[in-house]
Amino acid sequence: MKDLVLIVPEKPSSLLEKMIDKVIGSREYYLVKDVDNLKDLRNKKILFAVELNEIGVSNTMNDIFENLYDRGDKSLLNSEGALLVKSKGNLFSKTFSQSLVFLANNLGCSFVGRPLVEVTKDLDNLLAMKNIYKLPLEDISMLQCENLRDRFFKEKDREKRDPKKLLVLHSSKKDISNTLTLWHMVKNHLKEIEIEEINLGDGDIEDCKGCTYKTCKHFGSQGKCFYGGLVVSQVYPAILNCDSLMLISPNYNDMVTANLVASINRLTALFRKTKFYDKQLFSIIVSGYSGSDGIAKQLISSLNMNKTFGLPPYFALMETANDRDAILDVKNIENKAKAFAENIMHGLY
């Protein structure tokens, strides 16, 4: 078992202390409060517990990550993370968490599916769950911490299947897409992996219309969604059959492409019956100007924090290329594509 490190950069409230105790229990841990006692954090279990201020910032946590980045992009290599976040308002808990996971992942830290337990002011973010659990809001937060504890400390037991299966979703055309061109450069280096590609641009993808919980659960129990189409006929079976999901997403107006967003939203029906903790998430993102990190954070939030896909180290390959085929002129792009392919194979096997 890896050594446990607890990072608590600000004085925790009584509720955050209870959350920490619920996750850690009687386990021994090394406490990090600031950069002065920041030791080697490679090959560790790391629980981040953060009390956000009124503007959603933890200045000490910023200092910690600045120090980690100074150590190089392997300063969290082979570590596994989870996080608890308490916000003083009704905002910032999720966006702060997205950024923290993104920063840590780029240093080599993986995250279990649904690695976050968040609580906002008056625990309003848990109100929707009250009708499901029939418990007081604080008790629901404790239950979520227990569930996180069980996932976080569980030894990995992946299905022993050979070859591993990678599902690739995109809605691009190779002759004009830098993102898809980069994927094919990566694909050339993948070995002993069964790859299925689905072009979402080949179908009319209806977005989620927000069916009632009862309706969504009814169709989800049958592996279906009320709106049917390509998502149900092809994406659902492929998701169930894969070990890892790769999203090929160019940056359109600092948003994930529309068909990908619709497909992610539509996973909710399938998710009612089947959780995705045993599957991993990868992505290739190309921006014409800037903002690839924003796309990566959207995917972290929607698929890792929400839909429970595990997040392997260095989950996203992000580059900048605007004009057609400009990706081919990016410095060291072949080496980057090869390294990302090796990262995928390492994550799968």
Side-chain angles (χ1 to χ4, degrees), residues 14 21 34 38 41 44 89 93 134-136 142 144 164 166 201 225 234 250 267 279 300 337:
S14 59
D21 290 342
D34 51 42
L38 187 61
L41 295 185
K44 302 290 191 294
S93 57
K134 311 298 183 184
L135 292 171
M142 294 300 109
Q144 289 187 332
K164 295 293 186 179
L166 175 68
C225 167
Q234 294 188 40
L267 283 183
K279 304 180 189 298
I300 287 170

Side-chain angles (χ1 to χ4, degrees), residues 1-2 45 80 149-158:
M1 174 68 74
K2 296 177 179 179
K45 289 273 190 179
E80 303 165 41
R149 175 196 64 203
D150 294 343
R151 296 192 302 277
F152 187 45
F153 292 107
K154 179 181 179 181
E155 290 298 320
K156 293 180 180 178
D157 184 23
R158 292 180 185 165

Side-chain angles (χ1 to χ4, degrees), residues 72-277:
D73 63 1
K74 294 182 174 58
S75 61
L76 297 181
L77 191 65
N78 293 326
S79 288
E80 303 165 41
L83 60 158
L84 307 173
V85 176
K86 171 70 171 65
S87 176
K88 290 187 178 181
N90 290 325
L91 304 175
F92 307 121
S93 57
K94 186 62 68 68
T95 52
F96 172 86
S97 301
Q98 294 169 11
S99 294
L100 187 150
V101 170
F102 176 79
L103 290 171
N105 185 258
N106 285 339
L107 297 177
C109 187
S110 65
F111 287 85
V112 296
R114 194 163 279 181
L116 166 68
V117 177
E118 54 168 332
V119 286
T120 58
K121 183 181 180 181
D122 301 326
L123 286 73
D124 287 351
N125 65 302
L126 302 176
L127 285 172
M129 300 180 188
K130 193 169 185 178
N131 292 332
I132 299 174
Y133 292 107
K134 311 298 183 184
L135 292 171
L137 296 179
E138 185 170 321
D139 289 352
I140 294 174
S141 71
M142 294 300 109
L143 179 61
Q144 289 187 332
C145 289
E146 289 178 6
N147 292 337
L148 175 59
R149 175 196 64 203
D150 294 343
R151 296 192 302 277
F152 187 45
F153 292 107
K154 179 181 179 181
E155 290 298 320
K156 293 180 180 178
D157 184 23
R158 292 180 185 165
E159 184 178 354
K160 294 178 175 59
R161 175 168 61 184
D162 190 20
K164 295 293 186 179
K165 299 184 178 182
L166 175 68
L167 171 62
V168 179
L169 299 181
H170 69 86
S171 60
S172 303
K173 295 181 179 180
K174 184 180 179 181
D175 58 341
I176 60 172
S177 171
N178 282 305
T179 319
L180 201 56
T181 298
L182 181 54
W183 154 241
H184 283 284
M185 295 170 68
V186 172
K187 182 179 178 180
N188 288 337
H189 296 287
L190 292 175
K191 301 175 182 177
E192 299 180 359
I193 294 176
E194 185 176 307
I195 300 171
E196 179 177 2
E197 295 186 42
I198 297 178
N199 186 348
L200 300 172
D202 289 340
D204 185 14
I205 309 296
E206 285 219 47
D207 205 342
C208 176
K209 299 296 194 296
C211 293
T212 65
Y213 175 80
K214 184 177 180 180
T215 299
C216 187
K217 187 174 182 180
H218 169 73
F219 283 94
S221 67
Q222 305 171 54
K224 299 179 181 179
C225 167
F226 178 80
Y227 295 97
L230 180 68
V231 171
V232 172
S233 64
Q234 294 188 40
V235 176
Y236 279 11
I239 289 281
L240 293 175
N241 195 42
C242 76
D243 298 290
S244 286
L245 173 64
M246 166 79 75
L247 295 182
I248 311 299
S249 183
N251 179 357
Y252 289 165
N253 297 305
D254 294 327
M255 292 288 294
V256 176
T257 58
N259 279 350
L260 283 179
V261 169
S263 299
I264 292 170
N265 292 340
R266 292 277 299 281
L267 283 183
T268 300
L270 185 64
F271 180 76
R272 301 290 188 197
K273 180 181 180 181
T274 306
K275 303 299 183 280
F276 309 123
Y277 293 111

Side-chain angles (χ1 to χ4, degrees), residues 9 54 130 308:
E54 289 82 356
K130 193 169 185 178
T308 73

Side-chain angles (χ1 to χ4, degrees), residues 27-44:
R27 294 176 176 82
E28 294 185 358
Y29 61 89
Y30 178 80
L31 178 63
V32 173
K33 292 185 177 181
D34 51 42
V35 294
D36 292 336
N37 63 337
L38 187 61
K39 65 174 186 177
D40 186 347
L41 295 185
R42 292 172 295 181
N43 200 38
K44 302 290 191 294

